[in-house]
Amino acid sequence: MIRSDAARNRAKVLAAAETVLGEQGLTARMDEIARRAGVGVGTVYRHFATKEALYAAIVSARVDLLLDEAARLRVAAEPQTGFFRFFAQVVADAARKKTLTDALHSAGIDVKAEQAGQRAQMREALADLLRDAQRVGAVRPDVDLPEILALLRGASMAAETGDYASPVIDRTLAVLFDGLRPHALHAPPPSA
Amino acid sequence: MIRSDAARNRAKVLAAAETVLGEQGLTARMDEIARRAGVGVGTVYRHFATKEALYAAIVSARVDLLLDEAARLRVAAEPQTGFFRFFAQVVADAARKKTLTDALHSAGIDVKAEQAGQRAQMREALADLLRDAQRVGAVRPDVDLPEILALLRGASMAAETGDYASPVIDRTLAVLFDGLRPHALHAPPPSA
Amino acid sequence: MIRSDAARNRAKVLAAAETVLGEQGLTARMDEIARRAGVGVGTVYRHFATKEALYAAIVSARVDLLLDEAARLRVAAEPQTGFFRFFAQVVADAARKKTLTDALHSAGIDVKAEQAGQRAQMREALADLLRDAQRVGAVRPDVDLPEILALLRGASMAAETGDYASPVIDRTLAVLFDGLRPHALHAPPPSA
Amino acid sequence: MIRSDAARNRAKVLAAAETVLGEQGLTARMDEIARRAGVGVGTVYRHFATKEALYAAIVSARVDLLLDEAARLRVAAEPQTGFFRFFAQVVADAARKKTLTDALHSAGIDVKAEQAGQRAQMREALADLLRDAQRVGAVRPDVDLPEILALLRGASMAAETGDYASPVIDRTLAVLFDGLRPHALHAPPPSA
DNA sequence: TATGAATGAGTCTTCATTCAT
DNA sequence: TATGAATGAAGACTCATTCAT
């Protein structure tokens, strides 16, 4: 077996792991992942030194995809919509993949160097899209990155762990986005 | 400490479990919980037949507290504020206790009868507060319970698993609440 | 509570233990025995220092009863029938009580002093009955105590652990007893 | 020792378990069995999912051997002796292996499908040998399978749990066999 | 390089026994 | 003296990881 076979195996394992983790959560066994990938456990370990590394790789791959998407949107989309489309994208991805992004965190798995880098990149990408949107008045000027991150994490986690129908997610995001838009009167409701 | 202190022991175990689970997540060991409670493992098992049952009891107790709070607010608070105050309360509780409410779900722990009942009660309490708030125009009329639940879950999970400073949580909720309030310029404006 | 109450409790525990052991075997729990006796575990331990001691007491009581019966038969019954009636009695008792006499042995429970004494008494009683029967020609003269003990143990254990209908036990004993009776031709069967 | 030696490991475990169970009874620990087999506990569990399954496998293997022997005797031995030789064989095996056949039963371990099948085969094999022996007049015609089974079980259990010298077992079986042979003076003589 | 059998530390859970009330 | 809550050692079983083939 030559290099390309090895790469193919790596991909199979990654895909199987993503599926199995989505189904069974963090407790999924390495044997099961190997079985689904159609390889032996040994092969899983050849590509990912530990279970934790396998998880990290999955998350990392996903984040890379999202970062690409963010870069693409910044160029291709209007500043008014880029931010919102990216936000929705992340949530949709969470709902689809159910990769337990934060379960990793809650399970006490340490964020390693690479992840820290990605985390920073993600913040930056989001900050860029947010700044663009605020510049053109699509997002109220008084919100800052921390709130955005909290909202994005919350929405993603809910989508990931819940079992919401697509329209519910849409309506939920609609509310969220409305909260982010600028309008005349905030704190005190109209008729109060 | 015997006989009449059995109840005290149960409480000690419950408290220790809440703490330990908050710190170490679902993987916390029963021995550790026992040690922190200052009792033997056997005592933990005398009160909670199973690790799962212990988790369930923690969640159950917390939900009961929240349900009480909901009932109290419905009577004591203005319809304009009751809903929002309850929402904030739940999130604050999640941030403080970190009891992994949803981690239970993601770990595949089945929701038992009692929990199903509580779940229904929680929906009802929230529906009541929401209806009150919508009646007096404090919440836009076009949002429904499913979205509310999704937003509440998302916000709670973020607060639970994240490490946000109090002001960040406040600002995040402010955005969320703004999204829930009625104002002139919503996606499809009323008169359009 | 005065002495007689204590005695009553001891009897209740003994009876309950006999029942529970018959139903659940050696693995029966002390709590269950206490529950059936209508007392607390502590009371069981007041009368029997260990689980083993409780077992020993049950066996001991039974053996005492059998020894009484042996003595009675030696006086009241004909020498021809005394031995056989006693043998049948022991087996019937085993079938009825299912007290796991030998399971104790197989579980590695040591035979203590008292038991050793009873064992000796049982051997002696059986030897007496056997001698009487052999003297009057009811039992073939070439069998000795060891074989008798082996046969008795085997028959008792089968009765104890099996689920034989009464007629099966009768027919089984009939065969056994025929083997013990003297007749003209032994080893080589008639038509051989 | 891998891959092709997996079968060898299974055999080692089986052998060790037979020994250890013979020595320590049902309470023997899985760790001890593993240690004696020279493998890790995990290996024991790889081959036998459960302690119970391990017991079942031991018993099953032994019964298979006995069934082979029964088949062999039916062909190779005279009808007069086949039945008796098989009976003696079973008892000797019990005395040698001390595998606690019936202790399993008394421990409340359920007889599974496979075992039920073997049980039926054993009955059949015994019935065949008995019928042969009765046809040629080597066994009295008025005994039936249930009695035979009870006698065989009793003798095996006594041999298994007791500590009888070989001559005692021989003399015990001699008595038993005499009881099974036809002779003039049985309880109700034919012509009475 | 791939395989999967082997390993054994780690964990939940049970239950005989103790002891404060 | 009776009670039953508390104890914690013991044991069955799991599963991430290793390594001989």
Side-chain angles (χ1 to χ4, degrees):
Chain A
M1 302 207 180
I2 29 180
R3 232 189 337 261
S4 73
D5 274 331
R8 205 169 355 267
N9 270 347
R10 205 191 118 98
K12 282 196 295 181
V13 169
L14 221 37
E18 199 153 351
T19 305
V20 175
L21 291 174
E23 288 173 15
Q24 317 190 10
L26 265 328
T27 58
R29 297 171 34 183
M30 292 299 264
D31 303 36
E32 173 65 6
I33 291 171
R35 204 180 57 69
R36 293 273 196 106
V39 303
V41 235
T43 301
V44 175
Y45 276 91
R46 167 162 301 277
H47 294 290
F48 306 96
T50 67
K51 200 184 187 184
E52 184 181 332
L54 175 55
Y55 290 156
I58 291 172
V59 174
S60 195
R62 254 181 81 188
V63 174
D64 274 345
L65 248 44
L66 289 174
L67 287 173
D68 284 353
E69 182 63 11
R72 202 184 60 73
L73 282 173
R74 226 185 148 209
V75 175
E78 302 296 312
Q80 286 89 332
T81 57
F83 170 79
F84 294 107
R85 283 171 63 181
F86 182 63
F87 195 114
Q89 195 95 246
V90 173
V91 173
D93 193 56
R96 205 169 344 99
K97 299 289 187 63
K98 300 197 181 292
T99 321
L100 307 175
T101 315
D102 278 85
L104 299 182
H105 168 83
S106 81
I109 293 180
D110 298 317
V111 178
K112 292 296 167 11
E114 192 197 0
Q115 317 242 6
Q118 282 191 317
R119 189 180 277 238
Q121 287 178 61
M122 184 60 109
R123 289 174 78 95
E124 206 179 323
L126 214 43
D128 288 345
L129 287 165
L130 175 63
R131 203 177 319 111
D132 291 351
Q134 285 175 320
R135 189 175 354 100
V136 299
V139 167
R140 47 199 269 199
D142 63 334
V143 300
D144 207 347
L145 195 55
E147 297 90 280
I148 296 299
L149 285 170
L151 288 169
L152 183 54
R153 244 170 53 89
S156 299
M157 292 184 77
E160 227 173 71
T161 62
D163 191 34
Y164 301 106
S166 197
V168 172
I169 293 186
D170 288 348
R171 284 202 301 276
T172 306
L173 287 183
V175 170
L176 256 175
F177 291 174
D178 268 356
L180 289 169
R181 293 224 170 73
H183 12 58
L185 16 68
H186 275 144
S191 59
Chain B
M1 64 192 80
I2 298 217
R3 203 65 48 99
S4 74
D5 285 350
R8 194 159 11 259
N9 268 346
R10 206 193 115 99
K12 283 199 295 182
V13 169
L14 220 37
E18 200 154 351
T19 305
V20 176
L21 290 174
E23 287 173 17
Q24 316 189 9
L26 266 328
T27 58
R29 296 176 26 190
M30 292 299 263
D31 302 34
E32 172 65 5
I33 291 172
R35 206 180 56 68
R36 293 271 197 110
V39 302
V41 234
T43 301
V44 176
Y45 278 94
R46 164 168 288 275
H47 293 292
F48 305 97
T50 250
K51 201 184 187 185
E52 183 180 332
L54 175 56
Y55 291 155
I58 292 173
V59 174
S60 196
R62 254 181 83 188
V63 174
D64 273 344
L65 248 44
L66 290 174
L67 287 173
D68 285 352
E69 183 62 11
R72 202 184 60 73
L73 282 173
R74 223 183 151 212
V75 175
E78 301 296 312
Q80 286 90 334
T81 57
F83 170 79
F84 293 107
R85 284 171 61 181
F86 182 63
F87 196 114
Q89 195 97 235
V90 173
V91 174
D93 193 58
R96 206 168 344 100
K97 300 289 186 62
K98 300 199 179 294
T99 321
L100 307 176
T101 314
D102 278 85
L104 298 182
H105 168 82
S106 81
I109 292 180
D110 297 318
V111 178
K112 292 296 166 7
E114 194 198 359
Q115 316 244 6
Q118 282 191 319
R119 189 179 277 238
Q121 286 178 61
M122 185 60 109
R123 291 175 76 95
E124 206 178 323
L126 216 42
D128 288 344
L129 287 165
L130 175 63
R131 204 177 317 110
D132 290 351
Q134 284 175 321
R135 193 173 351 99
V136 299
V139 167
R140 47 198 270 199
D142 63 334
V143 301
D144 209 347
L145 196 55
E147 297 91 280
I148 298 299
L149 287 169
L151 288 168
L152 183 53
R153 243 171 55 88
S156 299
M157 293 183 76
E160 232 174 64
T161 62
D163 191 34
Y164 301 106
S166 198
V168 172
I169 293 186
D170 288 347
R171 283 203 301 275
T172 306
L173 286 183
V175 170
L176 254 176
F177 290 176
D178 268 357
L180 289 169
R181 293 221 170 76
H183 14 57
L185 20 64
H186 270 146
S191 60
Chain C
M1 304 208 176
I2 30 180
R3 228 186 343 258
S4 72
D5 274 331
R8 204 168 356 266
N9 270 345
R10 205 192 118 100
K12 282 197 296 182
V13 169
L14 221 39
E18 199 152 353
T19 306
V20 175
L21 291 173
E23 287 172 17
Q24 316 189 12
L26 265 327
T27 58
R29 299 173 29 183
M30 292 298 264
D31 302 37
E32 173 66 5
I33 291 171
R35 206 181 56 69
R36 293 272 196 108
V39 301
V41 236
T43 302
V44 175
Y45 276 91
R46 168 161 301 277
H47 294 291
F48 306 96
T50 65
K51 199 183 187 185
E52 185 181 332
L54 174 56
Y55 290 154
I58 292 172
V59 174
S60 194
R62 254 181 82 188
V63 174
D64 274 343
L65 248 43
L66 290 174
L67 286 173
D68 284 352
E69 182 63 11
R72 202 185 60 75
L73 282 173
R74 230 192 144 203
V75 176
E78 302 297 312
Q80 287 90 333
T81 58
F83 170 80
F84 294 108
R85 283 172 62 182
F86 182 64
F87 196 113
Q89 196 93 243
V90 172
V91 173
D93 193 57
R96 207 170 342 100
K97 301 288 187 62
K98 300 196 180 291
T99 322
L100 307 175
T101 314
D102 278 85
L104 298 183
H105 167 83
S106 80
I109 293 180
D110 298 317
V111 178
K112 292 294 165 16
E114 192 197 1
Q115 316 244 5
Q118 281 191 320
R119 188 179 277 239
Q121 286 177 63
M122 184 60 108
R123 290 175 76 95
E124 204 178 324
L126 213 44
D128 288 344
L129 287 164
L130 175 62
R131 202 176 317 107
D132 290 351
Q134 284 176 321
R135 192 175 350 100
V136 298
V139 166
R140 47 199 269 196
D142 63 336
V143 300
D144 209 347
L145 195 56
E147 297 90 282
I148 297 299
L149 285 170
L151 288 168
L152 183 54
R153 244 171 53 89
S156 298
M157 292 183 77
E160 230 174 69
T161 61
D163 191 34
Y164 301 105
S166 198
V168 171
I169 294 187
D170 288 348
R171 283 204 300 277
T172 305
L173 287 183
V175 170
L176 254 176
F177 291 175
D178 268 358
L180 289 169
R181 293 224 170 74
H183 14 57
L185 15 69
H186 274 147
S191 60
Chain D
M1 64 190 83
I2 298 218
R3 201 68 46 98
S4 75
D5 285 351
R8 197 165 1 267
N9 267 346
R10 205 192 117 99
K12 282 198 295 181
V13 169
L14 220 39
E18 199 153 353
T19 306
V20 175
L21 291 173
E23 287 173 16
Q24 315 189 11
L26 267 326
T27 58
R29 297 175 28 189
M30 292 299 264
D31 302 31
E32 173 65 7
I33 291 172
R35 207 182 54 69
R36 293 274 196 105
V39 303
V41 233
T43 301
V44 175
Y45 279 95
R46 164 168 287 275
H47 292 290
F48 306 96
T50 251
K51 200 183 189 186
E52 183 180 332
L54 175 55
Y55 290 155
I58 293 173
V59 174
S60 195
R62 255 182 81 188
V63 173
D64 274 344
L65 248 44
L66 289 174
L67 286 173
D68 284 352
E69 182 63 12
R72 203 185 59 74
L73 282 174
R74 221 181 154 212
V75 174
E78 302 296 312
Q80 286 90 332
T81 57
F83 171 79
F84 294 107
R85 283 171 62 181
F86 181 64
F87 196 113
Q89 196 96 237
V90 173
V91 174
D93 191 58
R96 206 168 345 99
K97 300 289 187 64
K98 300 198 181 294
T99 322
L100 308 175
T101 314
D102 278 86
L104 298 183
H105 168 83
S106 82
I109 293 181
D110 297 317
V111 178
K112 293 296 167 5
E114 193 197 1
Q115 317 243 5
Q118 283 191 319
R119 189 179 277 239
Q121 286 178 62
M122 184 59 109
R123 290 175 77 96
E124 206 179 323
L126 214 45
D128 288 344
L129 287 164
L130 175 63
R131 203 175 317 111
D132 291 350
Q134 285 176 322
R135 192 173 351 99
V136 299
V139 168
R140 46 197 273 197
D142 63 335
V143 299
D144 208 347
L145 195 55
E147 296 90 280
I148 298 297
L149 286 169
L151 289 167
L152 182 54
R153 242 169 56 89
S156 299
M157 292 184 78
E160 230 173 67
T161 62
D163 190 34
Y164 302 106
S166 197
V168 172
I169 292 186
D170 288 348
R171 284 203 300 276
T172 305
L173 285 183
V175 170
L176 255 176
F177 290 175
D178 268 358
L180 288 169
R181 293 223 170 74
H183 13 57
L185 21 63
H186 270 147
S191 60

